Amino acid sequence: MEDEETHLTQNKQIILKNFIEGRNPRETDLEFKISKVSLRIPKGSGGVVVKNLYLSCDPYMRGRMRDFNGSYIPPFVPGSVIQGFGVSKVVDSNDPNFKIGDLVTGFTGWEEYSLLQKTEQLKKIQPGDIPPSYYVGLLGMPGFTAYAGFYEVCSPKQGDYVFVSAASGAVGQLVGQLAKLHGCYVVGSAGTNQKVDLLKNKLGFDEAFNYKEEPDLNSTLKRYFPQGIDIYFDNVGGSMLDAALLNMKIHGRIAICGMVSHVSYTEGIQNLFMLITKRIRMQGFLQSDYVHLFPKFLEFIISNYKQGNVIYIEDMTEGLENAPDAFAGLFSGKNVGKKVICITHE
């Protein structure tokens, strides 16, 4: 009989130290530590043991760092490993649906190895000519958020005038390209001139601007949309949403995807009266509401990516020990495109 000790290996991990309140995450809120882990499934338990290859850095994770239970996903546990979307390789399995060597994507720990017992949330990745890391971005939750939000919430029509905030991020970059494929006029906002250049010259946006160089966002949007905005895909909330409300067309649609500019849940929006005067439909959404569309999404995006109709910008950080800095950087706009942590290329 094999000794369990022979299957123990070191396990690098990222731990949440304490809850945060009223501010953005800092690198020091997360701790890098090394523990031991068994690469064998405990006797009598189901699930799989995976080696994590790529981890997704996503703004929604900030909400899980707060002591708040009123959201759609529970908070992290201080002193424990944080979780997120990842791409992983199965190294041991007690689940007949998964065999050793399978590549999977789903919720996993921010660590080298994880025991995953809720295997129903895992999806297999078929090896092919698309990089596996794309399954936490373009072909994962952010990409599907863009797809479901644009087509299902925004109800686009050919010729619509579309505005996208945080347009070079994981979600925004795809929303803009989907809108162009649909025959819309698209303007994006971003926080650096490098990102503005990417939007216009690589991602195919009609126009883009650096919001940090615009003292009056209401005037800015009037300049780019003199005829008004049909669709606003909102990733930031705050003053940008207030300005967009003033510039919407009658019967405009606003998809509320994220509010990354809000550091607390109590910050308000001033111009909501516009919802009445302009008969605007504003709707929050989660990609998980539309999971029945996921196979259609994959087929559509993979086909358009292979044809060169969709471009994807990924911002890769190497090494789990660098994950805290990479995550904190999301909230100061350090990332250019979808931020991914590579633990190993294996």
Side-chain angles (χ1 to χ4, degrees):
M1 209 170 127
E2 286 183 286
D3 184 353
E4 186 67 24
E5 286 291 320
T6 62
H7 299 298
L8 286 180
T9 189
Q10 75 167 26
N11 194 23
K12 297 174 184 172
Q13 299 177 310
I14 302 295
I15 307 291
L16 175 66
K17 289 183 187 173
N18 291 296
F19 286 127
I20 64 170
E21 200 53 60
R23 62 172 174 83
N24 279 323
R26 299 177 189 134
E27 181 183 355
T28 51
D29 294 319
L30 300 171
E31 179 185 0
F32 174 75
K33 66 177 276 194
I34 297 176
S35 64
K36 292 274 191 181
V37 65
S38 172
L39 299 186
R40 292 287 178 265
I41 302 242
K43 283 192 184 73
S45 69
V48 294
V49 174
V50 297
K51 181 174 188 174
N52 295 312
L53 310 180
Y54 300 98
L55 299 174
S56 180
C57 272
D58 295 302
Y60 81 88
M61 296 168 68
R62 175 180 66 179
R64 301 193 70 188
M65 297 173 74
R66 296 171 177 153
D67 189 8
F68 178 71
N69 286 285
S71 186
Y72 58 91
I73 191 166
F76 293 136
V77 177
S80 297
V81 175
I82 66 171
Q83 303 95 35
F85 290 100
V87 171
S88 315
K89 187 178 192 178
V90 177
V91 295
D92 195 22
S93 176
N94 258 355
D95 186 315
N97 295 310
F98 299 97
K99 62 180 189 296
I100 292 172
D102 280 348
L103 277 182
V104 296
T105 182
F107 261 119
T108 190
W110 274 39
E111 55 189 350
E112 280 186 289
Y113 297 94
S114 296
L115 169 62
L116 305 177
Q117 293 183 302
K118 292 183 176 176
T119 55
E120 67 278 1
Q121 55 94 16
L122 296 175
K123 296 184 180 81
K124 276 192 209 177
I125 298 172
Q126 300 308 323
D129 50 3
I130 291 180
S133 62
Y134 282 26
Y135 284 86
V136 291
L138 179 66
L139 303 176
M141 182 275 289
F144 188 48
T145 298
Y147 179 89
F150 182 66
Y151 289 116
E152 300 300 310
V153 180
C154 294
S155 308
K157 299 187 294 292
Q158 189 175 355
D160 276 348
Y161 287 80
V162 177
F163 175 46
V164 185
S165 55
S168 70
V171 175
Q173 62 172 293
L174 184 57
V175 172
Q177 293 180 81
L178 294 176
K180 288 305 297 175
L181 285 172
H182 204 74
C184 301
Y185 178 85
V186 187
V187 177
S189 66
T192 69
N193 292 332
Q194 176 200 9
K195 292 176 182 180
V196 167
D197 182 63
L198 275 174
L199 292 173
K200 292 199 287 189
N201 298 317
K202 186 166 184 179
L203 294 171
F205 283 61
D206 294 288
E207 281 292 348
F209 63 88
N210 181 348
Y211 70 89
K212 291 178 182 172
E213 296 181 350
E214 301 290 342
D216 180 353
L217 292 172
N218 180 25
S219 299
T220 304
L221 292 181
K222 275 189 172 52
R223 191 166 78 242
Y224 284 100
F225 295 97
Q227 70 298 322
I229 301 167
D230 292 294
I231 290 171
Y232 173 37
F233 196 101
D234 184 22
N235 291 302
V236 300
S239 57
M240 192 70 83
L241 174 56
D242 260 327
L245 282 162
L246 294 174
N247 285 278
M248 297 299 292
K249 284 188 188 177
I250 288 173
H251 298 302
R253 286 87 69 204
I254 301 176
I256 302 292
C257 176
M259 292 202 162
V260 76
S261 75
H262 293 238
V263 294
S264 78
Y265 292 121
T266 57
E267 294 172 60
I269 300 297
Q270 295 176 359
N271 296 324
L272 290 177
F273 189 70
M274 292 294 120
L275 295 177
I276 302 169
T277 59
K278 297 185 178 185
R279 286 84 88 196
I280 298 164
R281 175 164 59 83
M282 183 164 76
Q283 180 181 338
F285 74 99
L286 296 175
Q287 52 88 25
S288 52
D289 297 337
Y290 301 95
V291 71
H292 59 286
L293 298 175
F294 195 83
K296 184 179 167 189
F297 150 76
L298 272 187
E299 183 183 351
F300 178 81
I301 298 296
I302 289 172
S303 169
N304 277 283
Y305 176 76
K306 288 182 173 177
Q307 292 171 56
N309 297 330
V310 166
I311 290 163
Y312 177 54
I313 299 172
E314 189 177 60
D315 187 343
M316 186 84 76
T317 291
E318 301 280 343
L320 187 62
E321 63 278 8
N322 296 314
D325 177 61
F327 177 68
L330 283 180
F331 303 97
S332 57
K334 277 189 188 174
N335 59 302
V336 179
K338 167 65 190 157
K339 174 53 76 176
V340 179
I341 310 296
C342 174
I343 300 179
T344 173
H345 288 280
E346 183 194 323

Short mmCIF file of all heavy atoms in Angstrom, two decimals, residues 142-153 171 174-175 178 233 293-294 296-298 300-301:
data_model
loop_
_atom_site.label_atom_id
_atom_site.label_comp_id
_atom_site.label_asym_id
_atom_site.label_seq_id
_atom_site.Cartn_x
_atom_site.Cartn_y
_atom_site.Cartn_z
N PRO A 142 -15.64 36.40 -19.17
CA PRO A 142 -15.68 37.76 -19.71
C PRO A 142 -16.24 37.83 -21.13
O PRO A 142 -17.04 38.72 -21.45
CB PRO A 142 -14.21 38.21 -19.67
CG PRO A 142 -13.58 37.33 -18.63
CD PRO A 142 -14.28 36.01 -18.76
N GLY A 143 -15.81 36.90 -21.99
CA GLY A 143 -16.32 36.88 -23.35
C GLY A 143 -17.81 36.63 -23.41
O GLY A 143 -18.55 37.28 -24.16
N PHE A 144 -18.27 35.69 -22.58
CA PHE A 144 -19.70 35.37 -22.56
C PHE A 144 -20.51 36.52 -21.96
O PHE A 144 -21.65 36.78 -22.37
CB PHE A 144 -19.94 34.07 -21.79
CG PHE A 144 -21.36 33.57 -21.88
CD1 PHE A 144 -22.01 33.48 -23.10
CD2 PHE A 144 -22.05 33.18 -20.74
CE1 PHE A 144 -23.33 33.02 -23.19
CE2 PHE A 144 -23.36 32.72 -20.82
CZ PHE A 144 -23.99 32.64 -22.04
N THR A 145 -19.93 37.24 -21.01
CA THR A 145 -20.57 38.43 -20.46
C THR A 145 -20.81 39.46 -21.56
O THR A 145 -21.89 40.05 -21.66
CB THR A 145 -19.71 39.04 -19.33
OG1 THR A 145 -19.58 38.08 -18.27
CG2 THR A 145 -20.31 40.31 -18.78
N ALA A 146 -19.79 39.68 -22.39
CA ALA A 146 -19.92 40.62 -23.51
C ALA A 146 -21.01 40.17 -24.47
O ALA A 146 -21.87 40.96 -24.89
CB ALA A 146 -18.59 40.74 -24.24
N TYR A 147 -21.00 38.89 -24.81
CA TYR A 147 -21.95 38.33 -25.78
C TYR A 147 -23.39 38.41 -25.26
O TYR A 147 -24.29 38.93 -25.93
CB TYR A 147 -21.56 36.88 -26.05
CG TYR A 147 -22.45 36.11 -27.00
CD1 TYR A 147 -22.21 36.11 -28.37
CD2 TYR A 147 -23.53 35.37 -26.53
CE1 TYR A 147 -23.02 35.39 -29.25
CE2 TYR A 147 -24.34 34.65 -27.39
CZ TYR A 147 -24.08 34.66 -28.75
OH TYR A 147 -24.89 33.95 -29.60
N ALA A 148 -23.62 37.93 -24.04
CA ALA A 148 -24.97 37.92 -23.48
C ALA A 148 -25.45 39.35 -23.23
O ALA A 148 -26.60 39.69 -23.51
CB ALA A 148 -25.00 37.11 -22.18
N GLY A 149 -24.57 40.19 -22.70
CA GLY A 149 -24.97 41.57 -22.41
C GLY A 149 -25.32 42.34 -23.66
O GLY A 149 -26.32 43.08 -23.70
N PHE A 150 -24.51 42.17 -24.71
CA PHE A 150 -24.77 42.94 -25.93
C PHE A 150 -26.02 42.44 -26.65
O PHE A 150 -26.93 43.20 -26.96
CB PHE A 150 -23.56 42.91 -26.86
CG PHE A 150 -23.75 43.72 -28.10
CD1 PHE A 150 -23.89 45.11 -28.03
CD2 PHE A 150 -23.85 43.12 -29.35
CE1 PHE A 150 -24.10 45.87 -29.17
CE2 PHE A 150 -24.06 43.87 -30.50
CZ PHE A 150 -24.19 45.25 -30.41
N TYR A 151 -26.07 41.14 -26.92
CA TYR A 151 -27.18 40.63 -27.74
C TYR A 151 -28.49 40.50 -26.98
O TYR A 151 -29.56 40.75 -27.53
CB TYR A 151 -26.80 39.28 -28.36
CG TYR A 151 -25.76 39.41 -29.45
CD1 TYR A 151 -24.50 38.82 -29.29
CD2 TYR A 151 -26.01 40.13 -30.61
CE1 TYR A 151 -23.53 38.96 -30.29
CE2 TYR A 151 -25.04 40.27 -31.60
CZ TYR A 151 -23.81 39.68 -31.43
OH TYR A 151 -22.86 39.82 -32.40
N GLU A 152 -28.43 40.10 -25.71
CA GLU A 152 -29.66 39.83 -24.97
C GLU A 152 -30.19 41.03 -24.19
O GLU A 152 -31.39 41.22 -24.07
CB GLU A 152 -29.44 38.65 -24.00
CG GLU A 152 -29.03 37.36 -24.69
CD GLU A 152 -30.07 36.87 -25.68
OE1 GLU A 152 -31.26 36.81 -25.33
OE2 GLU A 152 -29.68 36.58 -26.84
N VAL A 153 -29.28 41.86 -23.66
CA VAL A 153 -29.71 42.99 -22.84
C VAL A 153 -29.83 44.27 -23.67
O VAL A 153 -30.78 45.04 -23.51
CB VAL A 153 -28.74 43.21 -21.64
CG1 VAL A 153 -29.18 44.39 -20.79
CG2 VAL A 153 -28.66 41.94 -20.79
N VAL A 171 -14.04 42.56 -21.04
CA VAL A 171 -15.40 42.54 -21.58
C VAL A 171 -15.55 43.58 -22.69
O VAL A 171 -16.03 43.29 -23.79
CB VAL A 171 -16.44 42.78 -20.46
CG1 VAL A 171 -17.85 42.88 -21.03
CG2 VAL A 171 -16.37 41.66 -19.43
N LEU A 174 -14.48 43.07 -26.44
CA LEU A 174 -15.32 42.21 -27.28
C LEU A 174 -16.66 42.87 -27.58
O LEU A 174 -17.17 42.74 -28.70
CB LEU A 174 -15.52 40.85 -26.61
CG LEU A 174 -16.32 39.83 -27.44
CD1 LEU A 174 -15.66 39.59 -28.81
CD2 LEU A 174 -16.47 38.51 -26.69
N VAL A 175 -17.24 43.59 -26.62
CA VAL A 175 -18.51 44.29 -26.87
C VAL A 175 -18.38 45.19 -28.10
O VAL A 175 -19.23 45.19 -29.00
CB VAL A 175 -18.95 45.13 -25.65
CG1 VAL A 175 -20.16 45.98 -26.00
CG2 VAL A 175 -19.28 44.23 -24.47
N LEU A 178 -18.24 43.11 -31.29
CA LEU A 178 -19.56 42.54 -31.62
C LEU A 178 -20.47 43.62 -32.21
O LEU A 178 -21.21 43.36 -33.17
CB LEU A 178 -20.20 41.94 -30.37
CG LEU A 178 -19.51 40.71 -29.76
CD1 LEU A 178 -20.21 40.29 -28.47
CD2 LEU A 178 -19.45 39.55 -30.74
N PHE A 233 -23.04 50.37 -22.98
CA PHE A 233 -22.61 49.19 -22.25
C PHE A 233 -21.69 49.66 -21.14
O PHE A 233 -20.55 50.08 -21.37
CB PHE A 233 -21.88 48.21 -23.19
CG PHE A 233 -21.74 46.82 -22.61
CD1 PHE A 233 -22.59 45.80 -23.02
CD2 PHE A 233 -20.78 46.53 -21.65
CE1 PHE A 233 -22.48 44.51 -22.50
CE2 PHE A 233 -20.67 45.25 -21.10
CZ PHE A 233 -21.52 44.24 -21.53
N LEU A 293 -27.22 29.79 -23.57
CA LEU A 293 -26.67 30.28 -24.83
C LEU A 293 -25.17 30.01 -24.99
O LEU A 293 -24.60 30.36 -26.03
CB LEU A 293 -26.91 31.80 -24.93
CG LEU A 293 -28.36 32.27 -24.93
CD1 LEU A 293 -28.43 33.80 -24.90
CD2 LEU A 293 -29.10 31.73 -26.15
N PHE A 294 -24.55 29.40 -23.98
CA PHE A 294 -23.09 29.26 -24.00
C PHE A 294 -22.58 28.47 -25.21
O PHE A 294 -21.61 28.89 -25.85
CB PHE A 294 -22.59 28.64 -22.68
CG PHE A 294 -21.11 28.81 -22.50
CD1 PHE A 294 -20.58 29.98 -21.98
CD2 PHE A 294 -20.23 27.79 -22.86
CE1 PHE A 294 -19.21 30.15 -21.83
CE2 PHE A 294 -18.85 27.95 -22.72
CZ PHE A 294 -18.34 29.14 -22.19
N LYS A 296 -23.84 28.20 -28.19
CA LYS A 296 -24.01 29.07 -29.37
C LYS A 296 -22.93 30.16 -29.37
O LYS A 296 -22.36 30.51 -30.41
CB LYS A 296 -25.42 29.68 -29.32
CG LYS A 296 -25.79 30.54 -30.51
CD LYS A 296 -27.22 31.07 -30.33
CE LYS A 296 -27.52 32.18 -31.34
NZ LYS A 296 -28.80 32.84 -31.05
N PHE A 297 -22.66 30.71 -28.18
CA PHE A 297 -21.61 31.72 -28.02
C PHE A 297 -20.25 31.17 -28.45
O PHE A 297 -19.53 31.81 -29.23
CB PHE A 297 -21.57 32.19 -26.56
CG PHE A 297 -20.22 32.63 -26.05
CD1 PHE A 297 -19.69 33.87 -26.41
CD2 PHE A 297 -19.48 31.81 -25.20
CE1 PHE A 297 -18.45 34.28 -25.93
CE2 PHE A 297 -18.24 32.21 -24.72
CZ PHE A 297 -17.72 33.44 -25.10
N LEU A 298 -19.88 29.99 -27.94
CA LEU A 298 -18.58 29.40 -28.27
C LEU A 298 -18.44 29.22 -29.78
O LEU A 298 -17.41 29.57 -30.36
CB LEU A 298 -18.41 28.04 -27.58
CG LEU A 298 -17.82 28.02 -26.17
CD1 LEU A 298 -17.57 26.58 -25.74
CD2 LEU A 298 -16.52 28.81 -26.09
N PHE A 300 -19.98 30.75 -32.21
CA PHE A 300 -19.95 32.04 -32.89
C PHE A 300 -18.59 32.72 -32.74
O PHE A 300 -18.00 33.21 -33.72
CB PHE A 300 -21.06 32.93 -32.32
CG PHE A 300 -21.11 34.32 -32.90
CD1 PHE A 300 -21.72 34.55 -34.12
CD2 PHE A 300 -20.55 35.39 -32.21
CE1 PHE A 300 -21.77 35.84 -34.66
CE2 PHE A 300 -20.59 36.67 -32.74
CZ PHE A 300 -21.20 36.90 -33.97
N ILE A 301 -18.07 32.76 -31.50
CA ILE A 301 -16.82 33.47 -31.25
C ILE A 301 -15.63 32.72 -31.86
O ILE A 301 -14.74 33.34 -32.47
CB ILE A 301 -16.60 33.73 -29.75
CG1 ILE A 301 -17.72 34.61 -29.19
CG2 ILE A 301 -15.24 34.38 -29.50
CD1 ILE A 301 -17.80 36.01 -29.77
#
